[in-house]
Amino acid sequence: MDVPRPEYPRPQFVRDAWLNLNGAWQFEIDRSDTGLERGLAARELTGSIVVPFCPESGLSGVGDTDFMEAVWYRRTVTVPADWAGARVLLHFGAVDHDATVWAGGREVARHRGGFTPFTADLGEVAVPGEELTVVVRARDSRHGVQARGKQATWYANSHCHYTRTTGIWQTVWLEPVPRTVALRRPRITPDLASGSFFLELPLSANAPGHRVRATLADGHGDVVAAEVRADLDLCPRLVLPVPADRLRVWSPRDPHLYDLNLEVLDASGAVVDRARSYAGLRSVAVHGKRLLLNGEPVFQRLVLDQGYYPDGLMTAPTDADLVRDIELGLRAGFNGARLHQKVFEERYLHHADRLGYLVWGEFGDWGCETGVRDDNQRPDASYVTQWLEALERDHSHPSIVGWCPLNETYQPLHDRITRLDDVTRAMFLATKQADPTRPVVDASGYAHRVPETDVYDSHCYEQDPDAFAKAMEGLARDRPYVNQAPDGGPWSVPYRGQPYFCSEFGGIWWDPEAAAGTAGDDQDTSWGYGQRPRGAEEFVARFTGLTGVLLDDPDMFGYCYTQLTDVFQERNGVYRFDRSEKVDTTLLRDAQTRPAAFEDAPRYP
């Protein structure tokens, strides 16, 4: 069979030599998580699966949507003979949720977290030219605190919870690297004020006489190069100043990307390791209530994207499907997306970089609800760990213009410091420490617990444009709409004049089939906000009215409309779950792409 998802999975750190391990693996469901005791780590497995698709998905060939406490994978691979002398790494794009990996009968890795990558150093286990057996166990309990995103902890889909993803759901691959000194993932930070790129090039080790070299190039050839010693610092740093005549700023109008070649040289000047990357030169700034891109007010017309697919669930069937989702957003007039309750595949960010699509990176934090009064959400330390892994993976993507570690956390604001307070502050501070160049919203909507959060926001699903305008009008007086508890009590610290946007609104229950009487009113099969429009004309009018309220507010730097596509029973997408049109999207584009008051206001108030 053809290898599914054959493209290189890490487009900002590319080596030429690699081996894709997607495709057929042995597979066995371990309902009660007793497989280790029963010898599953050492024997052949009874079934098969197509990796990287999860067993709940149709594309996996399994299609089992019941609960699985654990699942097992097994595959034998021949390590390429021409990798002789190299150290072999085994990479996993994402495994949900707790993974243990054995290779050649030895445990080589453990990892917690269903959204972030990890790597097993195979050391002396992998011998070039010989076969190697890889075994993976993934545990995914529905009980206890766990960052799940939108995965349901009860059997059936309902409301805004969807079919689960268990086990491997992103690409698995092998890669050879030098045994002496090898590049680790670079961190590329644009500095538009100086017209430069700052590079951090972490290394696996240091060796006498070694150097690192970085070369920036564009369509006309090399632009600038820099070289420093690699025998003094475990993470050498380089600066690449772009000459004025070759400087081209990345923006939605012109998403220019420079090529970047990275090399490690030994004492004789020979290249011992090399990788390809790319970079975009742009800036994000905060000035009063204004969020500026490259020093200019660019209204962020975002759409909520949950990244689910009917046949692949959280895994896009093909790379082209990732591209299509961005193109669908652009076609409807959006210039970016809030990537909701999921850390998206990195190739999505690569395409956003190429296409000039603004992105807010988010963590899939749902899954810490305890039901304890006044202390009802208790995320644990693994949330911070996993979020730091996501930040490290995605730091260098120019399309990301903001970070959102938590979403819709809710808890009364009272005189006791709770675990939610601790973890919210920890995730905010971790984000600022890992990346001081981008704004951070401590928690999207609901429970803002960090007074100094860079951005403040709210979620409001009022369906009447006039009532929506009334709810939003207080921003001009520094009294914006703030989500509150049902009894009117506070969830959030007070607003302090930060840039503000309505980061969830709309969600119009637009189900043309239901509206035509071919589907029932059961919200397990069709759900959204407000009364269903009686037809496309009414849907467009409501969409135009709601977006118009925010486009006309000079203090609003953007919005995020819910949502790009339907997801199972949630029928409030601009497009259906299969990505077909519900309405003429040129009408939605016309409604959104008129000038926004924020963009017409004076540059600096």
Side-chain angles (χ1 to χ4, degrees):
M1 62 177 293
D2 293 335
V3 174
R5 298 302 306 270
E7 62 282 345
Y8 194 84
R10 194 183 56 195
Q12 254 192 334
F13 186 34
V14 179
R15 287 190 174 95
D16 291 333
W18 70 296
L19 181 62
N20 193 324
L21 299 187
N22 292 344
W25 287 58
Q26 293 181 26
F27 179 75
E28 193 165 327
I29 296 171
D30 183 6
R31 298 278 184 202
S32 301
D33 190 15
T34 59
L36 191 62
E37 301 165 66
R38 294 186 288 111
L40 267 64
R43 68 161 171 81
E44 302 291 309
L45 303 179
T46 57
S48 64
I49 192 170
V50 177
V51 169
F53 303 109
C54 71
E56 291 90 346
S57 71
L59 289 175
S60 71
V62 179
D64 189 325
T65 59
D66 206 347
F67 293 102
M68 309 175 203
E69 284 290 310
V71 293
W72 290 77
Y73 299 79
R74 183 183 182 92
R75 171 165 177 172
T76 298
V77 59
T78 299
V79 180
D82 59 3
W83 292 4
R87 186 162 50 93
V88 179
L89 304 180
L90 173 60
H91 298 290
F92 294 85
V95 180
D96 199 339
H97 184 266
D98 291 357
T100 306
V101 183
W102 295 265
R106 302 182 196 175
E107 183 180 320
V108 293
R110 294 186 184 187
H111 181 262
R112 168 165 289 172
F115 297 109
T116 48
F118 65 97
T119 297
D121 185 338
L122 299 186
E124 304 305 319
V125 175
V127 179
E130 296 186 8
E131 286 191 340
L132 177 71
T133 298
V134 176
V135 175
V136 181
R137 178 190 61 193
R139 287 168 158 155
D140 192 20
S141 176
R142 61 169 160 159
H143 306 291
V145 169
Q146 179 177 303
R148 296 184 177 88
K150 291 293 192 77
Q151 300 178 65
T153 53
W154 46 90
Y155 176 72
N157 290 335
S158 66
H159 201 64
C160 56
H161 292 85
Y162 319 128
T163 302
R164 292 159 295 283
T165 290
T166 299
I168 297 170
W169 68 277
Q170 290 186 32
T171 293
V172 184
W173 81 103
L174 289 175
E175 177 183 44
V177 299
R179 288 187 175 274
T180 51
V181 179
L183 290 162
R184 289 180 171 163
R185 182 162 193 130
R187 181 177 294 193
I188 307 160
T189 304
D191 186 71
L192 185 57
S194 65
S196 303
F197 291 100
F198 296 158
L199 269 62
E200 298 171 72
L201 300 179
L203 302 172
S204 63
N206 301 107
H210 280 55
R211 303 180 68 82
V212 291
R213 180 169 62 202
T215 305
L216 195 75
D218 60 17
H220 300 288
D222 290 351
V223 174
V224 62
E227 187 175 315
V228 297
R229 292 175 63 175
D231 56 355
L232 295 176
D233 300 294
L234 195 55
C235 182
R237 291 172 172 84
L238 295 169
V239 180
L240 293 174
V242 181
D245 63 343
R246 304 288 285 275
L247 195 149
R248 190 168 162 189
V249 177
W250 184 97
S251 73
R253 292 189 302 272
D254 181 20
H256 175 70
L257 299 173
Y258 292 93
D259 294 324
L260 184 60
N261 293 307
L262 308 172
E263 297 171 311
V264 179
L265 314 175
D266 66 14
S268 70
V271 176
V272 297
D273 193 17
R274 59 162 48 97
R276 299 190 308 278
S277 187
Y278 64 84
L281 189 60
R282 62 101 185 92
S283 70
V284 184
V286 171
H287 190 276
K289 293 181 183 177
R290 305 174 74 68
L291 200 62
L292 305 176
L293 182 69
N294 302 324
E296 300 293 336
V298 176
F299 191 81
Q300 297 187 22
R301 298 163 173 86
L302 308 179
V303 65
L304 198 76
D305 189 345
Q306 305 202 71
Y308 272 78
Y309 301 87
D311 48 0
L313 299 180
M314 287 203 300
T315 310
T318 68
D319 192 56
D321 287 287
L322 298 173
V323 177
R324 179 179 63 171
D325 282 357
I326 296 172
E327 292 175 340
L328 289 175
L330 292 168
R331 184 187 306 168
F334 300 102
N335 62 4
R338 183 173 156 223
L339 306 183
H340 188 50
Q341 281 302 290
K342 172 186 164 185
V343 178
F344 275 49
E345 298 176 53
E346 192 180 356
R347 287 199 63 87
Y348 178 100
L349 299 176
H350 168 61
H351 296 307
D353 295 339
R354 292 191 308 104
L355 297 171
Y357 203 54
L358 304 176
V359 165
W360 282 72
E362 185 174 314
F363 184 56
D365 67 292
W366 284 14
C368 62
E369 180 66 39
T370 65
V372 178
R373 181 181 177 183
D374 295 343
D375 191 11
N376 54 288
Q377 292 189 310
R378 298 182 178 180
D380 59 21
S382 72
Y383 275 55
V384 186
T385 304
Q386 294 169 56
W387 179 236
L388 281 168
E389 290 176 336
L391 292 169
E392 183 63 26
R393 192 197 77 172
D394 295 341
H395 174 92
S396 303
H397 288 282
S399 58
I400 297 179
V401 294
W403 296 115
C404 176
L406 297 167
N407 171 75
E408 288 188 353
T409 47
Y410 64 96
Q411 192 177 92
L413 196 66
H414 46 63
D415 66 348
R416 294 190 311 279
I417 297 174
T418 67
R419 186 181 299 178
L420 179 62
D421 292 305
D422 285 337
V423 173
T424 303
R425 173 160 286 278
M427 295 183 81
F428 176 81
L429 292 176
T431 310
K432 297 301 292 184
Q433 189 75 6
D435 181 12
T437 71
R438 292 180 176 94
V440 182
V441 57
D442 59 340
S444 183
Y446 294 20
H448 295 288
R449 321 294 277 199
V450 178
E452 66 270 31
T453 181
D454 295 319
V455 170
Y456 206 100
D457 70 348
S458 68
H459 298 173
C460 182
Y461 285 104
E462 171 59 53
Q463 294 293 296
D464 177 69
D466 292 335
F468 185 57
K470 187 171 181 62
M472 292 291 129
E473 66 182 7
L475 181 57
R477 303 186 302 276
D478 285 344
R479 298 183 62 184
Y481 179 83
V482 178
N483 295 110
Q484 297 178 319
D487 64 2
W491 279 338
S492 296
V493 296
Y495 174 69
R496 299 173 60 178
Q498 299 101 322
Y500 177 100
F501 74 133
C502 186
S503 59
E504 285 189 30
F505 78 107
I508 302 169
W509 185 4
W510 177 225
D511 188 344
E513 287 72 30
T518 58
D521 290 330
D522 181 357
Q523 291 207 356
D524 286 338
T525 59
S526 181
W527 175 85
Y529 290 96
Q531 294 295 315
R532 286 181 308 217
R534 288 165 291 185
E537 185 175 343
E538 185 177 329
F539 169 79
V540 172
R542 194 188 305 178
F543 178 95
T544 302
L546 293 172
T547 55
V549 167
L550 305 179
L551 285 165
D552 289 339
D553 189 336
D555 292 318
M556 188 82 60
F557 77 80
Y559 58 61
C560 181
Y561 180 84
T562 302
Q563 62 181 320
L564 181 66
T565 73
D566 295 342
V567 184
F568 293 107
Q569 68 282 347
E570 192 171 352
R571 307 289 174 83
N572 52 14
V574 173
Y575 299 91
R576 293 180 178 87
F577 199 13
D578 66 4
R579 276 56 177 177
S580 61
E581 278 197 348
K582 293 182 180 182
V583 66
D584 182 357
T585 51
T586 60
L587 301 175
L588 308 184
R589 182 179 182 84
D590 291 343
Q592 293 197 83
T593 53
R594 66 177 178 82
F598 171 80
E599 295 169 319
D600 288 341
R603 180 173 174 180
Y604 292 110

